[in-house]
Amino acid sequence: MDNELSNDMRVVLKQKKPLCNWIPARYALTFLSFSGIFIVYALRANLSVTLVAMLNNTALETNETILEECPVIHPLNDSSYQYEKDGEFVWDENIQGLILGAFFYGYCITQLPGGVLADRFNAKWIFGGGIFVTAVLSLLTPVAARHSVEAFIVVRVLEGLGEGVTFPSLFSLLSHWTPIQERSTLTGITGSGANLGMVITLPVSALLCEYGFDGGWPSVFYVFGFCGVIWFLFWSLLVTNTPESHPRISEEELIYIQQNRHAISSSSSHQKQAIPWRAILTSRPVWAVALTKCCASWGFYTLFTELPNYFNSVLHSPIKRNGFENSAMYLAQTISVVIFGVAADCIRARSQLKITHIRKLFETTGLLLTGLCLIAVPLLRCNHVGILSVLILSMVFLAITTGGDTPVPLDLAPAYAGAVMGIVNTVTNCSGIFAPMVAGALTEHAETVEHWGTVFYLSGGICVVGAFIFLLFGSSDLQPWAVPLDIADDTQPIVSEENNENLPKV
């Protein structure tokens, strides 16, 4: 039983020496997971800024951007302003879109296999191994780019394959470690590593492009690839797959986790049970959260991949300023993610609202406000400060969904969180493929306010659609098919929401 420890287990626990009594093991795991997600996004985000420095804009004579449409931020007679040096590559908007989207081809392929492997075997090594492989490929990126654009695209696809396993395996890992009372908070903190990764990566990448070694831009891939390898060493030594196997966890914390997580088998027997694929693939809540996250990700990936180019080509923001402006948006989101994650857990603990209602409140509010902000961007035309302010607000509002869709795979099926997250993330990250391709097609040879306006209108509209999908069809109820057989047949009560009347009565 999860909430009963054998005498042998108690003896073992009494012999364990906590590494630090005031740092619970689940918080140490949260920090290392946060750091891992930081590396994940650092390895994928650096290209959006670095690509600007890699391009030879002088040679791209087919670009029809009108310089006078939006004023240059620094007057040409200001000695502090210089046009950035041209890069090495002549790639038009369509090729740039293919390069930016290439990562997501691989990323989508390994989502589901990563989740299945994590649920059946060891989520710790799936998560850590995915990041390690991506870090090594980052170190090889400059060589591939200088060889050919095809080789560059292949490396980006392979990086996507490596990172594709990370989020499904992480959710599988968290399903064992997170008490339901802390689920929004811990997943929110872990997820905020993505935002902080971009906050730091974007300006650092910009500075490395200008002052780094080997021509500037290659140093970006070397530095972050090396950081990924170092992180993997700490992850390998300090993390375990379950609380039960942790050598330093206290007895009190282990009991607390076991008593307050959703129904997950205390043995390894559920790993041998067949994953209920038919039930998962025909589950309305699973598809609702997948489509909702896909809509939210369309807006996110449009900003993530295309915003540095928009700031550079339309608003004429120099690359150093470009990096800091982008990072300001993600800094605001990082802070907001933690705030809204805690807020969702507080509402859950102190109100009579059902968890599904809380998730819908946060998700719908966040996506509607994000969509309105994106729609407002083209209306501001060349108002640089106004556009940046609205984009910062859009990221703050997008962070509200931390209390919405982020923990839903754990809510729906903690025992199969990896498989569910694999399906959800496969659908979600299709937007990572198509968003940059659509933006590239809409702005090809005409990077003007009007053409970019179409990109923002489309992204905002898709976010609004996602809000209504989750409002109408979303759910966070623990699903009947998600209860492992050895739990369903047990005599202890299942931790579930009060509205899960259709669960097996035990």
Side-chain angles (χ1 to χ4, degrees), residues 338-360:
V338 177
I339 292 173
F340 290 118
V342 173
D345 281 336
C346 288
I347 293 173
R348 181 174 188 169
R350 299 179 184 180
S351 76
Q352 298 301 313
L353 287 176
K354 295 179 179 180
I355 186 60
T356 292
H357 296 160
I358 295 172
R359 301 291 187 229
K360 287 188 176 184

Side-chain angles (χ1 to χ4, degrees), residues 120-387:
R120 287 188 174 274
F121 300 106
N122 194 306
K124 165 193 171 177
W125 292 113
I126 302 297
F127 180 73
I131 296 176
F132 176 75
V133 169
T134 309
V136 172
L137 288 167
S138 179
L139 296 173
L140 300 175
T141 297
V143 176
R146 284 170 169 162
H147 181 272
S148 67
V149 66
E150 292 81 9
F152 187 26
I153 290 174
V154 168
V155 168
R156 291 296 294 177
V157 172
L158 292 175
E159 287 186 17
L161 289 172
E163 283 200 9
V165 304
T166 53
F167 273 95
S169 58
L170 177 61
F171 270 66
S172 181
L173 189 66
L174 292 177
S175 70
H176 295 284
W177 278 93
T178 54
I180 58 173
Q181 298 92 332
E182 302 175 5
R183 184 157 292 160
S184 294
T185 300
L186 297 185
T187 56
I189 291 173
T190 299
S192 69
N195 308 110
L196 190 61
M198 290 181 287
V199 168
I200 294 177
T201 299
L202 295 174
V204 169
S205 296
L207 292 173
L208 286 173
C209 284
E210 184 151 351
Y211 304 113
F213 54 90
D214 193 22
W217 64 265
S219 62
V220 176
F221 299 104
Y222 294 137
V223 168
F224 289 110
F226 178 75
C227 289
V229 172
I230 297 300
W231 170 88
F232 178 72
L233 297 177
F234 284 97
W235 179 263
S236 301
L237 295 173
L238 300 177
V239 170
T240 62
N241 199 52
T242 64
E244 289 80 4
S245 60
H246 198 285
R248 294 174 296 276
I249 194 170
S250 68
E251 178 179 357
E252 293 77 13
E253 184 182 8
L254 179 57
I255 294 173
Y256 173 71
I257 293 172
Q258 290 179 329
Q259 289 180 336
N260 293 281
R261 61 189 177 189
H262 269 316
I264 298 177
S265 173
S266 59
S267 69
S268 62
S269 62
H270 79 279
Q271 295 176 344
K272 299 178 182 179
Q273 295 174 12
I275 296 174
W277 289 114
R278 182 175 180 180
I280 294 174
L281 292 172
T282 57
S283 171
R284 187 175 72 176
V286 170
W287 282 104
V289 70
L291 293 174
T292 300
K293 289 175 73 70
C294 184
C295 292
S297 293
W298 187 284
F300 176 81
Y301 284 129
T302 297
L303 300 182
F304 175 63
T305 59
E306 298 295 333
L307 204 58
N309 185 35
Y310 170 72
F311 278 163
N312 180 263
S313 61
V314 176
L315 300 181
H316 312 302
S317 177
I319 191 168
K320 284 190 292 184
R321 176 166 176 169
N322 193 329
F324 283 99
E325 287 173 336
N326 277 271
S327 69
M329 296 165 45
Y330 299 113
L331 176 60
Q333 189 184 30
T334 302
I335 297 170
S336 303
V337 159
V338 177
I339 292 173
F340 290 118
V342 173
D345 281 336
C346 288
I347 293 173
R348 181 174 188 169
R350 299 179 184 180
S351 76
Q352 298 301 313
L353 287 176
K354 295 179 179 180
I355 186 60
T356 292
H357 296 160
I358 295 172
R359 301 291 187 229
K360 287 188 176 184
L361 173 65
F362 276 74
E363 187 70 19
T364 304
T365 302
L367 284 185
L368 284 176
L369 292 176
T370 299
L372 292 175
C373 285
L374 294 178
I375 291 171
V377 169
L379 302 179
L380 295 170
R381 296 189 65 80
C382 297
N383 185 341
H384 193 105
V385 174
I387 289 172

